[in-house]
């Protein structure tokens, strides 16, 4: 939902260091086809999405919600036009575009990139991968060409949309009505306690997991399973010894692979610490 996605991973051609990847974003529908496909089904979804934008703004107390929604939707459509297709996104070679900090202003003018990078805490980086260069250029151009009031409305809607599940029930219901029923065909929203548990599990997965383990997974059960795994690995080594077609050097390597294999069972040996986290 953000204007750009940021993803940190090894460089495509230099795996010795991690680099930030910048990806296309900024649209509320799943991808560009939803904005540009001329089929009746897509046209209907576009109409209902625009109605949803207006409903969210109206719920938040904005006046002239329909006009604001029309401008937001037009801006998203313009963003979608600069996006790569799903097929293009899957082509890693097209994504391998190393940029320096200076390249952003030169190749995607219209936006204060130094301010953006500082806000994203990426201002000390000088190597990036522009995964979707066309979308970066398109979005930056729209920052310069679109009036500030539209951008403010756009950001307000996307903030409401992003946090709808933790806002009052009216917002959550509106979001589910569009994204759940209309877009994905889910007939009914899951119970509030299930959503609350899911949110907690997403934010503090090992804290919830540890509570489960304390109640349902005794340490002796884990020890018993690890003993079984050890016996399976020993049996595997014996089978390697009996493979007549395997050369001695290959057999040694295969047995070393078995010995160094790590098998995680049930829960981690060392739990993640949440010290300092205030809930």
């Amino acid at each position: 939902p953000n204007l750009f996605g940021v993803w940190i991973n090894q460089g495509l051609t230099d795996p010795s260091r991690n680099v930030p990847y910048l990806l296309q974003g900024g649209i509320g529908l799943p991808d560009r086809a939803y904005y540009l496909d001329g089929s009746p089904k897509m046209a209907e979804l576009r109409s209902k999405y625009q109605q949803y934008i207006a409903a969210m703004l109206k719920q938040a107390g904005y006046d002239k919600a329909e006009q604001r929604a029309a401008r937001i939707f037009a801006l998203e459509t313009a963003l979608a036009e600069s996006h790569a297709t799903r097929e293009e996104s899957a082509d890693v070679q097209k994504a391998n575009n190393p940029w320096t900090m200076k390249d952003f202003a030169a190749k995607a003018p219209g936006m204060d990139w130094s301010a953006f990078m500082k806000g994203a805490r990426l201002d000390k980086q000088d190597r990036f991968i522009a995964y979707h260069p066309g979308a970066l250029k398109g979005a930056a151009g729209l920052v310069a060409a679109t009036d500030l009031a539209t951008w403010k409305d756009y950001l307000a809607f996307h903030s409401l949309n992003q946090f709808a599940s933790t806002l009052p029930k009216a917002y959550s219901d509106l979001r589910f009505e569009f994204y759940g029923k209309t877009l994905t065909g889910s007939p009914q929203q899951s119970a509030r306690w299930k959503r609350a548990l899911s949110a907690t599990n997403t934010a503090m997965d090992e804290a919830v997991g540890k509570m489960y383990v304390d109640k349902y997974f005794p340490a002796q059960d884990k020890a018993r399973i690890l003993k079984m795994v050890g016996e399976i690995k020993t049996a595997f080594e014996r089978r390697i010894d009996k493979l007549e077609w395997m050369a001695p050097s290959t057999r040694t390597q295969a047995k070393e692979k078995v010995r160094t294999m790590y098998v995680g069972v049930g829960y981690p040996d060392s739990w993640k610490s949440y010290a300092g986290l205030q809930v």
Side-chain angles (χ1 to χ4, degrees):
N2 302 309
L3 193 55
F4 304 113
V6 179
W7 173 45
I8 313 296
N9 210 337
Q10 290 174 303
L12 288 171
T13 52
D14 179 13
S16 66
R17 60 177 289 173
N18 288 339
V19 293
Y21 290 67
L22 261 73
L23 301 93
Q24 63 196 17
I27 58 176
L29 291 171
D31 67 33
R32 74 191 301 273
Y34 284 74
Y35 294 85
L36 308 176
D37 189 307
S39 70
K41 176 65 175 173
M42 290 298 194
E44 182 187 4
L45 285 174
R46 286 192 287 273
S47 176
K48 289 188 175 179
Y49 176 57
Q50 193 167 318
Q51 290 167 21
Y52 165 65
I53 297 172
M56 284 293 262
L57 292 174
K58 196 175 291 182
Q59 180 64 38
Y62 283 82
D63 63 0
K64 300 177 181 176
E66 285 79 11
Q67 292 95 313
R68 292 175 192 260
R71 289 194 294 269
I72 292 167
F73 183 76
L75 177 53
E76 287 194 22
T77 302
L79 287 168
E81 285 172 347
S82 70
H83 279 200
T85 63
R86 288 194 177 195
E87 293 77 15
E88 288 167 337
S89 288
D91 187 342
V92 176
Q93 294 310 312
K94 288 185 178 179
N96 191 17
N97 307 292
W99 283 17
T100 64
M101 188 68 83
K102 291 179 180 176
D103 285 327
F104 285 91
K107 295 181 178 181
M111 184 170 159
D112 187 342
W113 284 105
S114 61
F116 174 81
M117 293 300 183
K118 190 173 182 180
R121 300 183 186 180
L122 293 171
D123 51 317
K124 292 183 173 61
Q125 299 294 319
D126 196 48
R127 294 191 203 174
F128 299 83
I129 298 287
Y131 200 97
H132 296 115
L136 299 185
K137 182 180 179 182
L142 285 165
V143 167
T146 307
D147 63 283
L148 185 59
T150 299
W151 276 113
K152 285 183 175 181
D153 288 345
Y154 165 91
L155 291 169
F157 163 68
H158 276 272
S159 295
L160 293 165
N161 190 38
Q162 195 167 352
F163 294 104
S165 63
T166 47
L167 285 169
K169 184 175 182 294
Y171 294 92
S172 178
D173 288 349
L174 281 172
R175 181 178 166 88
F176 180 76
E177 188 66 29
F178 178 72
Y179 284 101
K181 286 186 180 177
T182 303
L183 202 57
T184 60
S186 302
Q188 189 176 342
Q189 190 166 205
S190 63
R192 188 172 183 272
W193 72 265
K194 289 185 179 180
R195 285 180 278 138
L197 181 59
S198 175
T200 310
N201 204 23
T202 299
M204 304 172 66
D205 53 349
E206 289 195 14
V208 177
K210 191 171 189 309
M211 292 169 70
Y212 179 88
V213 164
D214 289 345
K215 192 166 184 179
Y216 295 111
F217 202 154
Q220 61 264 29
D221 284 3
K222 178 167 179 169
R224 187 165 55 87
I225 296 167
L226 285 170
K227 181 174 181 291
M228 183 173 68
V229 168
E231 289 168 354
I232 292 169
K233 286 169 72 174
T234 300
F236 201 8
E237 281 197 60
R238 288 183 190 142
R239 293 180 76 173
I240 290 169
D241 281 331
K242 294 179 180 178
L243 294 174
E244 296 178 3
W245 55 268
M246 194 176 273
S249 60
T250 309
R251 183 178 289 114
T252 300
Q253 288 181 339
K255 290 173 79 170
E256 182 62 21
K257 275 188 177 182
V258 175
R259 276 192 286 270
T260 57
M261 187 187 298
Y262 172 77
V263 180
V265 173
Y267 55 89
D269 297 325
S270 177
W271 291 97
K272 188 188 295 180
S273 172
Y274 292 93
L277 175 64
Q278 294 184 359
V279 179

